[in-house]
Amino acid sequence: MELVEVKEGKARVLVPKAESIYNAPVFYNPRMALNRDVAVLLLNLLKPGKVLDALAATGIRGLRFALETPAKEVWLNDISEEAYALMRRNVALNFGEEPIVKGERAYLQADKLIVVNRGDANRLMAEKHRYFHFIDLDPFGSPMEFLDTALRAVKRKGILGVTATDAAPLCGAHPKACIRKYLAVPLRGELCHEVGTRILVGVIARYAAKYDLGIEVLLAYYKDHYFRAFIRLRDGAKKGDESLEQLGYVYFDERTGRFDVERGFLPTKPSAYGPVWLGPLKSEELVEEMMKLAEGMELAEKKRALKLLAILREELDVPLFYDTHALGRRLGIQPRKVGEIIERLRELGYNASRTHFSPTAVKTDAPFEEVVRAMAR
Ligand code: SAM
């Protein structure tokens, strides 16, 4: 395989030269640098000691954790032989020393321990029961085949970082696939990215609950066609019960664009979408700290990271939003500019903000009728 060297954050990695990232023998997507930046920021604040990049490909993510965060022990794992060989080369490139190979596992004790493993992520995670403080799942498509084992391999107060790139199921283009994988009915249309994010968080809460674990959403967002959730586990049956109380359903009227949400384990009406997570999608304090940290740090996509964090920081943390273009089309009105609508709603005493889910949308706690009034010219 022909290789080229790229630099991302503080890491240098050899990646396969390929016409398209999808036919490369080992996967590397430079567009995911922002996704990795955000994880690096978070790990700098939460300081997990033992970290697993369960689906590591070139190893870029785990290498960045090793080079740019205080993690003390970093595991890079991939099922592919070619990825295993390349990860070892990339470790050597960054730490100046070849890891010692013992069959399908290789070790390098630098200022921190780096372990490179070839194998099925589920097998490795089953072996390392309650071992890691942080596990990153960054698969092709859905993370669901790895979720259950990750919930056992992570410590009971540990953290999971989960990516889902299967936007078609989560956004409702393939509803049967969403039901199969996420055990939830998705919603098509302008709310699909937020509903998809909440379906992903909701299924993590449901999987965690059987281990008497609750969840705290540190940050969940949608960007560049992927969903991402950072979840801290909370230990205890009561925490599990509390998380399940944050689950519920969405009702959506196609004709008007009005939505409703209801909490509850079961829906009260047949037209429900979900179950979804209706609790917070961020820790405000953490996002604030990430922003401060990002300002003074070298990142691969610093400008974009700051832009994303700024909008996440301002975003009102309530379920769903009103997309002014979609609502305008539905109701036959010319909407005002988003900034103006937000101002008007605030003048009326409501909370209102932009949302990262859509540049033309407003998040607010105002009732539907008030939003429509504020929107109309
Ligand atoms: N995390 C990487 C990054 O940030 O560049 C990208 C990972 S890529 C999207 C998914 C990787 O998962 C591929 O390299 C693939 O070989 C690996 N993979 C697929 N199934 C696996 C399994 N069951 N166990 C371990 N690795 C697996």
Side-chain angles (χ1 to χ4, degrees):
M1 120 176 75
E2 204 182 331
L3 299 168
V4 283
E5 188 179 315
V6 297
K7 185 167 186 293
E8 190 188 297
K10 288 195 177 144
R12 291 153 63 203
V13 277
L14 295 166
V15 307
K17 202 169 177 186
E19 294 270 298
S20 135
I21 54 168
Y22 298 105
N23 57 26
V26 182
F27 188 79
Y28 172 74
N29 184 357
R31 285 190 61 83
M32 290 299 255
L34 174 63
N35 175 311
R36 292 182 280 266
D37 279 348
V38 173
V40 163
L41 286 171
L42 214 107
L43 265 57
N44 269 290
L45 294 169
L46 303 171
K47 303 189 179 5
K50 292 176 190 163
V51 165
L52 168 64
D53 178 3
L55 308 152
T58 61
I60 177 66
R61 186 176 293 262
L63 277 166
R64 289 195 60 189
F65 295 161
L67 294 163
E68 298 171 44
T69 82
K72 294 200 168 49
E73 184 176 324
V74 179
W75 288 60
L76 318 178
N77 176 72
D78 203 284
I79 201 164
S80 135
E81 266 305 338
E82 285 164 309
Y84 180 49
L86 188 56
M87 286 190 288
R88 289 182 345 238
R89 277 187 74 174
N90 283 331
V91 169
L93 182 66
N94 285 277
F95 288 90
E97 224 181 304
E98 298 278 340
I100 297 162
V101 181
K102 292 189 181 154
E104 306 221 301
R105 199 165 283 178
Y107 301 84
L108 179 69
Q109 181 68 64
D111 58 330
K112 36 189 81 183
L113 176 66
I114 316 284
V115 185
V116 186
N117 192 71
R118 191 201 81 83
D120 178 18
N122 279 325
R123 187 171 168 184
L124 173 65
M125 291 191 288
E127 179 195 323
K128 308 299 283 181
H129 184 74
R130 299 272 171 248
Y131 185 79
F132 295 104
H133 298 96
F134 175 76
I135 298 179
D136 203 304
L137 295 180
D138 182 50
F140 290 133
S142 170
M144 290 307 290
E145 67 176 286
F146 306 107
L147 180 59
D148 210 27
T149 346
L151 282 165
R152 288 195 301 268
V154 73
K155 288 188 182 286
R156 291 186 69 83
K157 291 180 183 169
I159 300 152
L160 294 181
V162 180
T163 310
T165 59
D166 53 341
L170 282 165
C171 277
H174 299 148
K176 281 189 176 165
C178 190
I179 293 168
R180 270 199 318 276
K181 296 207 178 285
Y182 298 93
L183 311 168
V185 179
L187 173 61
R188 265 194 107 143
E190 69 262 28
L191 298 179
C192 78
H193 295 134
E194 181 166 345
V195 172
T197 305
R198 291 181 180 278
I199 286 175
L200 176 63
V201 175
V203 78
I204 298 173
R206 287 186 284 156
Y207 270 49
K210 72 180 167 202
Y211 299 112
D212 287 343
L213 291 168
I215 68 159
E216 176 193 356
V217 182
L218 299 172
L219 183 61
Y221 64 94
Y222 174 84
K223 182 82 186 153
D224 299 339
H225 311 291
Y226 64 82
F227 301 84
R228 182 77 165 151
F230 290 98
I231 305 290
R232 177 156 41 203
L233 297 181
R234 311 193 64 197
D235 191 11
K238 205 162 156 252
K239 301 288 182 203
D241 293 341
E242 282 167 17
S243 288
L244 294 185
E245 280 162 18
Q246 301 273 28
L247 294 179
Y249 295 87
V250 174
Y251 296 97
F252 184 68
D253 180 357
E254 289 279 344
R255 201 175 48 81
T256 60
R258 181 197 286 265
F259 62 77
D260 268 313
V261 296
E262 77 178 350
R263 281 185 160 69
F265 196 68
L266 295 172
T268 55
K269 289 176 265 180
S271 56
Y273 297 95
V276 294
W277 172 259
L278 291 172
L281 289 185
K282 65 175 174 187
S283 149
E284 268 173 41
E285 202 188 324
L286 199 70
V287 175
E288 184 71 48
E289 284 176 34
M290 285 168 82
M291 183 103 197
K292 277 193 213 139
L293 190 66
E295 275 159 10
M297 232 176 118
E298 179 193 337
L299 290 168
E301 292 274 2
K302 184 162 171 163
K303 229 170 126 183
R304 291 184 74 218
L306 283 170
K307 201 170 159 201
L308 174 65
L309 289 168
I311 186 156
L312 286 168
R313 180 179 63 177
E314 298 308 318
E315 188 164 331
L316 194 62
D317 205 356
V318 295
L320 307 178
F321 55 81
Y322 297 97
D323 187 280
T324 57
H325 288 189
L327 216 59
R329 260 195 319 274
R330 283 202 170 86
L331 302 175
I333 49 178
Q334 266 290 334
R336 287 173 180 275
K337 288 197 176 128
V338 172
E340 285 172 27
I341 302 170
I342 291 173
E343 228 168 85
R344 291 185 112 193
L345 288 169
R346 285 181 181 163
E347 275 164 20
L348 292 168
Y350 298 107
N351 290 303
S353 76
R354 291 182 180 272
T355 168
H356 81 283
F357 287 114
S358 160
T360 54
V362 176
K363 260 192 190 269
T364 179
D365 48 13
F368 178 74
E369 289 74 15
E370 292 280 31
V371 178
V372 174
R373 256 199 298 278
M375 221 178 84
R377 284 172 191 274

